[in-house]
Amino acid sequence: MMGGLRADELRPERSRTFAFGGLSPGLALVLALVLVQAGVSGVTALDNGLALTPTMGWLHWERFTCNVDCMEDPENCISEQLFMQMAELMVSEGWKDVGYEYVCIDDCWLAPQRDKDGRLQADPKRFPRGIRHLANYVHSKGLKLGIYQDVGTLTCAGYPGSFGYYDIDAETFADWGVDLLKFDGCYAKDLKSLVEGYKYMSYALNKTGRSILYSCEWPLYMRPYQQPNYTEIRQYCNHWRNYGDIFDSWSSVKNILAWTAFHQKSLVPAAGPGGWNDPDMLVIGNFGLSWDQQITQMALWAIMAAPLFMSNDLRNISPQSKALLQNKDVIAINQDPLGKQGYRLRKDEVFEVWQRPLSNLAWAVAVLNQREIGGPGTYTISTTDLGEGLGCAPACLITQILPVKKELGLYEWTSQLKVRVNPTGTVLLKLQTFQQDKFPVISP
Ligand code: GAL
């Protein structure tokens, strides 16, 4: 079990202490006064009409990290070329058609200093035409542009943060035509300024009048000090990270799932149209996950109603990973309009069963084999246990979605469902409940 994690366990690669040093008490006071004057606490900032289903797009961090060395590695450094190439491929390779819409810049896009008017500026070598030009390009492809900043004095990688500049930064992003802001939580002075900063930025974005989706890491940074209040967070953010950064490995995916299941009582009710728990990027198509583990990530991110941000190299991805990421049936589960997050129903030594209620009396069910030894395992479950007792009452049609699509047929309320699941793999199913009055006539 993963309860009681310390901050440094959440983020092994970086200390999570609030390192805010340089800020004068005067500046802090000014911010506090501005917050009060702005009436931040009363603002329902998230009446922004965005993220009615989980956001879909591409985000550079996991795959390209803070690679700023364009001399040595021009193809993979964080530069306008990288994002333009991804935008182009998102259209030409069918990603946009299946719903991936936001092309997102993460940390390390900035010049080391603000300009003379206090405005942020992109690194002039790597983004020679600036972010507005990139936004125009991305928009010309029918896509949206995301950008990254931080609530504290510095971004996590040490570039200028937004503290003390929330309004001016929000206006700059709106001016440039940015459509999403990922707002990180490094280098905030203390819990109070972290929370107030997240709220204030939400307000500042709203005030620009531009629709800018707001992606937060507020609960992740807050949890070591205090239980996050999700009712409050939902009012300000379109999605929020709860747990440490994803890595390109099975152990990372496994930890995220275990942590989410352990906290599902508080997480699941928090999710819904307009606001989602964010278990971090999809690493499908990279180096660290086996084929079965990629299936598990895709299936479980659909069950969790997670934002789907791929962090991979769209220039170089296997047809198999591409087909998985573009699987319309899985995406339909992720994007289901009912907007309810799924949860872990049960777990034994070997198997975990997760389920998610869907619109039109349907359910998604995922059976995950946690064993890391041996071959495929068989799991049997009574259909009375699925869909909170009603998934197959009085009967249901079951379709296997992953690993391959196949109709499993009609099941009654008291049927036994048997699936075979590869080690660290998942079988994803969709159950279509038949209502009494629409029960199909089956000829003898
Ligand atoms: C982390 C954040 C990552 C990435 C990174 C950039 O704190 O959780 O997703 O944005 O900072 O430095």
Side-chain angles (χ1 to χ4, degrees), residues 55-76:
T55 314
M56 294 176 68
W58 183 92
L59 174 62
H60 94 240
W61 186 254
E62 193 289 319
R63 178 63 190 253
F64 295 94
T65 64
C66 192
N67 181 351
V68 292
D69 192 350
C70 294
M71 292 292 273
E72 188 57 39
D73 196 6
E75 289 303 307
N76 300 299

Side-chain angles (χ1 to χ4, degrees), residues 57 82 112 129 134 171 191 352 385 427:
L82 183 71
R129 289 172 287 186
L134 182 56
E171 281 158 21
L191 187 56
E352 288 185 19
D385 294 339
V427 167

Side-chain angles (χ1 to χ4, degrees), residues 11 14 16 61 106-107 148 156-157 182 184 186 217 220-221 241 245 280-281:
R11 299 284 309 271
R14 193 184 294 125
R16 283 253 173 209
W61 186 254
D106 207 289
D107 207 345
Y148 167 100
C156 294
K182 171 174 173 177
D184 213 337
C186 280
E217 299 202 29
L220 163 60
Y221 286 86
R241 285 270 307 282
D245 294 358
D280 213 359
M281 294 156 271

Side-chain angles (χ1 to χ4, degrees), residues 51-56 239 276 304-308 334-336 339 356:
L52 297 180
T53 61
T55 314
M56 294 176 68
H239 28 85
W276 311 96
M304 292 189 292
L308 300 180
N334 175 270
Q335 297 286 302
D336 186 82
R356 173 176 175 187

Side-chain angles (χ1 to χ4, degrees), residues 110-123:
L110 281 157
Q113 308 287 338
R114 290 174 179 269
D115 73 9
K116 59 175 181 16
D117 302 319
R119 289 193 157 232
L120 292 169
Q121 41 190 359
D123 182 282

Side-chain angles (χ1 to χ4, degrees), residues 366-403:
V367 183
L368 160 63
N369 177 353
Q370 309 167 85
R371 280 181 77 175
E372 296 178 24
I373 187 170
T378 303
Y379 187 70
T380 308
I381 187 166
S382 162
T383 50
T384 43
D385 294 339
L386 297 175
E388 290 165 2
L390 296 172
C392 292
C396 62
L397 193 64
I398 304 187
T399 309
Q400 178 178 297
I401 307 290
L402 291 174

Side-chain angles (χ1 to χ4, degrees), residues 113-374:
Q113 308 287 338
R114 290 174 179 269
D115 73 9
K116 59 175 181 16
D117 302 319
R119 289 193 157 232
L120 292 169
Q121 41 190 359
D123 182 282
K125 286 222 175 68
R126 294 182 284 115
F127 294 85
R129 289 172 287 186
I131 302 297
R132 192 200 307 267
H133 176 273
L134 182 56
N136 288 344
Y137 180 81
V138 167
H139 294 155
S140 76
K141 299 273 164 200
L143 298 167
K144 298 195 159 129
L145 183 72
I147 209 160
Y148 167 100
Q149 245 301 344
D150 189 284
V151 72
T153 47
L154 297 172
T155 72
C156 294
Y159 291 84
S162 281
F163 186 81
Y165 296 89
Y166 297 141
D167 278 310
I168 192 174
D169 289 355
E171 281 158 21
T172 305
F173 296 145
D175 231 43
W176 286 344
V178 163
D179 305 291
L180 175 153
L181 174 64
K182 171 174 173 177
F183 210 42
D184 213 337
C186 280
Y187 299 105
K189 184 179 66 179
D190 52 27
L191 187 56
K192 190 162 177 282
S193 55
L194 177 91
V195 170
E196 284 176 354
Y198 270 107
K199 290 181 182 178
Y200 193 88
M201 194 46 144
S202 183
Y203 171 76
L205 291 173
N206 251 14
K207 218 169 51 165
T208 67
R210 185 174 174 84
S211 285
I212 301 180
L213 200 150
Y214 187 38
S215 164
C216 302
E217 299 202 29
W218 168 358
L220 163 60
Y221 286 86
M222 179 176 202
R223 194 177 281 274
Y225 305 91
Q226 197 179 303
Q227 282 294 317
N229 173 350
Y230 286 105
T231 312
E232 187 179 32
I233 291 169
R234 250 191 92 75
Q235 287 169 11
Y236 293 92
C237 303
N238 290 117
H239 28 85
W240 47 85
R241 285 270 307 282
N242 294 303
Y243 187 68
D245 294 358
I246 196 159
F247 280 61
D248 186 13
S249 72
W250 174 238
S251 69
S252 177
V253 170
K254 209 166 57 171
N255 287 343
I256 291 170
L257 292 174
W259 189 91
T260 305
F262 186 73
H263 291 92
Q264 62 189 12
K265 272 211 173 86
S266 61
L267 299 180
V268 170
W276 311 96
N277 292 294
D278 178 6
D280 213 359
M281 294 156 271
L282 293 168
V283 294
I284 295 165
N286 291 325
F287 308 96
L289 300 186
S290 72
W291 173 237
D292 286 289
Q293 293 159 1
Q294 294 180 57
I295 290 173
T296 294
Q297 191 185 27
M298 195 66 191
L300 272 296
W301 263 236
I303 294 275
M304 292 189 292
L308 300 180
F309 285 106
M310 304 179 281
S311 192
N312 50 17
D313 189 348
L314 301 179
R315 298 165 302 191
N316 183 13
I317 184 166
S318 73
Q320 207 182 21
S321 296
K322 182 177 170 192
L324 176 61
L325 287 161
Q326 294 194 356
N327 184 311
K328 288 188 182 154
D329 295 306
V330 188
I331 292 173
I333 292 173
N334 175 270
Q335 297 286 302
D336 186 82
L338 188 60
K340 284 193 188 266
Q341 179 172 339
Y343 52 89
R344 192 168 73 190
L345 174 67
R346 59 171 62 164
K347 168 178 160 57
D348 63 25
E349 286 298 291
V350 181
F351 294 98
E352 288 185 19
V353 182
W354 293 62
Q355 64 178 10
R356 173 176 175 187
L358 304 173
S359 51
N360 297 325
L361 296 180
W363 288 81
V365 174
V367 183
L368 160 63
N369 177 353
Q370 309 167 85
R371 280 181 77 175
E372 296 178 24
I373 187 170

